[in-house]
Amino acid sequence: MQVRGVVIKMLSTRKEMVHMRLCHSTGAKNTIKMYPSRNVLQISVIVVFALGLGIANSSAQVVMPQMSNPLPEVPTVRIPFVLSAVNDEVSGRGAFSFEGREVPPVIRVSPGQKLQITYLNRMKVSSSEVCVDGPCMNMTNLHFHGLHVSPDSPQDDVISMMAMPGESLRYTVDIPLNQPSGLYWYHTHPHGESYQQDLDGMSGAIVVEGIERYVPELRGLTERILVLRDAEVDQDDEASRLLKTAVAISKSPCGEAVGRVGRIFTVNGVVRPRISIAPREKQFWRIVNASPDLYADLTIDSEKMIMVALDGMPLAYHNPGHATESVQHVLLAPGGRLEAIVMGPELGTQSSLRSLCVDTGADGDPNPAMVIADLDPTRHQEIRTRRQTSVADFQEAIFEPLPSRTIQKLKKRDAAFVVNFTEDKKGFYINGKKYKPTDDPMVTVKTGSYVRWQVVNRTHEIHPFHIHQVHFLVYGKGGVSIRDPKWMDTVNLEPGQSLDLIMDFTDPIIRGISVFHCHLLKHEDKGMMAKIRFE
């Protein structure tokens, strides 16, 4: 049988999220949800085609994002500013609204400045979304992921600062002078609703200025900020198959995880955008994986990337003689960031930014290889160079190398604290405990020193470990030293794996009560989180 007519109406929405509903004459419904955006064009088209679906006289209404379009720039804000949490008018899902548009801005701030945000909760009292414990309550707050700042109100407080619909929060975050210059991000962090709000796209990038002080080669390069979020697709409908085909998801099995693929990446709200770059041109790419649970194992066809920072930490910050590193691929867990110099392909050569297959384990979710974006040397645009002048340009670079003798001394000690990730059918746990907001801190540490920790994954799926307020040095796996350890704030653990970490608890600015958790945010919502007291 043939489809006599299918009407596809593309409606304008300021949200990166897309809700696509195909209503067949049989009454069946199929949906595609794009998370987040905000670059949707208002177009009405009528498409008449034969798909052999056995449906006659069908019609459909579709809200779709751009696909294979040029990478859009993200608006920039310098503090102070107002950010609102709203419900999208079309989908009802959560969103950030900035200056009347549902496009989360890039926050740019220099070391030593104050980050000031008035955060308004304008979401509805009654939510149509379902969170881990039932209907979402639309409570919300902000977390400044990776910043070495106070966990107390009115700064990076995710425990006591909470706004219900109609309420507001005022953040004044003191960025320390020794904050590493790099890429960070902000997202909501209400326990029990973090996953859904992040999936909806309530997140954005933060740039702490001054990274050129560590890598002078970056001066004058075109900067690209790439925020990876999710397009959630249903299983068998035609539109879902179209999107999966668009990003070239392989039909071959990927690792031990079973089940169908439910997500693909978007970049700044676009599925597989084209990134303009002249042949052999160098650009500075800053990439944040803002997905709540998709891993990005990033690589570029036929080209190595020159990494300059990981998780916001310039490589030179702790190792002045090692400012860059050539890499073929870099694994970004949810919450991870990569900053790298990328070179354009030769004219006539096809090249793409891809995520490789990630084996999430027998109990994990499929995380297949896919194309994230295409490098386009044929459509080089006139775009601004890296950035405007900032206060950081007139500040001296700060370096904090960790002496090798200190590392060796810490290696010889027993771990001061061990984090054990476990799970069962009832929930997710740290050291056998499921998090509750009323819990006392699981561990207390004194600031002013480096401390050895161990993190152990006792499950059959991967988990990313993240701690607020600090970075840590990942120096060992399973008791064996890593040849080239890295400073991170979010690190992946494979099933059954243990990692040895040196925690940087040296700065008294972090005093207060904070948290550490699995950064698969549904796991965090279901209990894989604990409090820590910094004294």
Side-chain angles (χ1 to χ4, degrees):
M1 290 187 256
Q2 294 182 341
V3 178
R4 296 182 183 175
V6 175
V7 179
I8 303 179
K9 186 176 183 181
M10 302 177 74
L11 302 175
S12 175
T13 174
R14 294 164 302 192
K15 175 105 170 73
E16 268 183 354
M17 190 216 115
V18 173
H19 190 184
M20 178 174 185
R21 192 174 296 275
L22 302 180
C23 301
H24 297 164
S25 60
T26 59
K29 294 181 179 179
N30 300 301
T31 63
I32 280 189
K33 302 163 202 164
M34 305 298 300
Y35 306 92
S37 191
R38 293 143 172 115
N39 297 293
V40 182
L41 301 177
Q42 186 167 12
I43 301 176
S44 295
V45 298
I46 296 179
V47 182
V48 180
F49 60 103
L51 291 176
L53 297 177
I55 306 165
N57 297 321
S58 297
S59 65
Q61 283 195 328
V62 181
V63 181
M64 288 285 288
Q66 296 181 25
M67 188 159 56
S68 300
N69 280 7
L71 178 76
E73 282 195 28
V74 182
T76 294
V77 63
R78 288 173 171 80
I79 46 162
F81 70 101
V82 177
L83 183 71
S84 297
V86 300
N87 290 113
D88 182 78
E89 295 176 359
V90 175
S91 68
R93 293 182 175 269
F96 280 153
S97 177
F98 170 66
E99 294 185 344
R101 299 174 58 211
E102 290 180 18
V103 186
V106 175
I107 302 171
R108 304 195 83 109
V109 62
S110 291
Q113 290 186 330
K114 294 182 183 294
L115 194 163
Q116 297 175 299
I117 303 175
T118 299
Y119 185 45
L120 310 177
N121 187 348
R122 297 295 181 255
M123 291 192 285
K124 298 176 181 178
V125 174
S126 179
S127 174
S128 60
E129 296 186 287
V130 178
C131 291
V132 296
D133 293 322
C136 299
M137 299 171 61
N138 281 347
M139 59 184 179
T140 191
N141 59 10
L142 295 176
H143 167 48
F144 306 100
H145 187 122
L147 294 184
H148 301 173
V149 297
S150 170
D152 290 340
S153 176
Q155 302 198 53
D156 190 25
D157 176 5
V158 300
I159 298 173
S160 68
M161 292 185 73
M162 193 71 66
M164 300 303 294
E167 298 178 342
S168 62
L169 299 170
R170 285 174 173 79
Y171 289 91
T172 301
V173 182
D174 293 316
I175 309 298
L177 278 170
N178 64 344
Q179 177 70 49
S181 296
L183 180 65
Y184 302 89
W185 68 302
Y186 61 99
H187 62 92
T188 63
H189 208 290
H191 180 65
E193 305 195 12
S194 297
Y195 169 82
Q196 189 60 52
Q197 291 186 12
D198 189 53
L199 182 64
D200 287 351
M202 299 179 75
S203 61
I206 300 173
V207 171
V208 176
E209 304 279 23
I211 196 170
E212 298 85 356
R213 298 173 299 168
Y214 300 92
V215 189
E217 182 183 353
L218 297 176
R219 292 192 175 99
L221 296 188
T222 292
E223 177 191 72
R224 302 284 190 185
I225 294 180
L226 283 64
V227 182
L228 308 185
R229 299 192 181 93
D230 294 68
E232 187 182 41
V233 294
D234 267 353
Q235 306 305 327
D236 284 324
D237 59 82
E238 185 64 26
S240 293
R241 288 191 288 272
L242 175 66
L243 285 175
K244 292 176 186 178
T245 300
V247 297
I249 287 182
S250 173
K251 296 181 180 179
S252 302
C254 172
E256 294 185 79
V258 297
R260 294 173 175 171
V261 176
R263 305 281 184 78
I264 62 173
F265 279 117
T266 64
V267 187
N268 299 354
V270 178
V271 174
R272 193 171 176 174
R274 301 191 308 276
I275 302 178
S276 295
I277 182 169
R280 315 319 292 166
E281 176 196 4
K282 291 181 179 180
Q283 292 187 357
F284 181 38
W285 288 15
R286 316 182 90 162
I287 306 172
V288 53
N289 182 3
S291 168
D293 55 11
L294 265 185
Y295 281 75
D297 193 356
L298 299 175
T299 188
I300 293 179
D301 297 339
S302 71
E303 291 287 344
K304 288 188 175 182
M305 299 174 285
I306 307 300
M307 179 169 64
V308 302
L310 190 63
D311 284 0
M313 181 69 71
L315 301 185
Y317 188 86
H318 290 286
N319 189 354
H322 185 65
T324 64
E325 181 177 329
S326 178
V327 292
Q328 190 66 54
H329 71 103
V330 176
L331 177 66
L332 292 187
R337 286 92 65 211
L338 169 67
E339 295 169 83
I341 299 170
V342 172
M343 183 174 288
E346 296 285 0
L347 190 63
T349 301
Q350 293 185 344
S351 185
S352 298
L353 172 67
R354 301 175 185 271
S355 177
L356 304 176
C357 164
V358 178
D359 186 353
T360 61
D363 290 343
D365 296 319
N367 206 122
M370 68 184 77
V371 178
I372 293 177
D374 294 311
L375 282 67
D376 188 354
T378 66
R379 294 175 54 86
H380 188 58
Q381 302 168 336
E382 289 293 329
I383 58 176
R384 63 190 181 201
T385 54
R386 239 202 32 78
R387 59 171 186 80
Q388 301 174 13
T389 300
S390 70
V391 172
D393 293 323
F394 306 99
Q395 299 171 337
E396 286 194 22
I398 295 175
F399 299 91
E400 295 187 358
L402 182 59
S404 59
R405 63 180 180 273
T406 302
I407 296 175
Q408 295 306 318
K409 186 177 180 180
L410 287 166
K411 284 182 178 180
K412 294 176 181 178
R413 296 179 182 175
D414 292 334
F417 185 69
V418 179
V419 178
N420 289 286
F421 284 154
T422 58
E423 62 182 76
D424 59 27
K425 293 181 180 180
K426 296 181 180 180
F428 297 80
Y429 313 90
I430 292 180
N431 293 354
K433 296 181 179 180
K434 182 186 292 189
Y435 176 82
K436 298 190 298 296
T438 56
D439 286 346
D440 291 329
M442 181 177 286
V443 59
T444 297
V445 301
K446 291 187 179 297
T447 58
S449 63
Y450 295 98
V451 179
R452 179 187 170 187
W453 276 25
Q454 186 180 57
V455 185
V456 184
N457 180 4
R458 302 187 184 278
T459 77
H460 299 291
E461 64 176 314
I462 58 178
H463 294 281
F465 170 78
H466 170 59
I467 184 169
H468 293 201
Q469 324 313 140
V470 303
H471 279 71
F472 46 80
L473 179 67
V474 185
Y475 76 87
K477 293 183 180 181
V480 179
S481 293
I482 296 173
R483 185 176 60 86
D484 187 19
K486 292 292 189 294
W487 287 89
M488 307 175 74
D489 62 41
T490 308
V491 64
N492 180 55
L493 285 96
E494 298 172 1
Q497 186 179 61
S498 67
L499 293 178
D500 298 305
L501 315 178
I502 294 177
M503 314 297 292
D504 183 357
F505 297 147
T506 56
D507 197 332
I509 196 174
I510 66 174
R511 288 174 179 159
I513 297 178
S514 186
V515 295
F516 55 94
H517 57 87
C518 171
H519 215 284
L520 299 179
L521 293 183
K522 186 171 285 187
H523 295 181
E524 180 260 298
D525 279 344
K526 291 185 175 182
M528 198 172 269
M529 182 163 76
K531 294 179 184 175
I532 179 172
R533 176 184 282 114
F534 297 116
E535 291 185 340

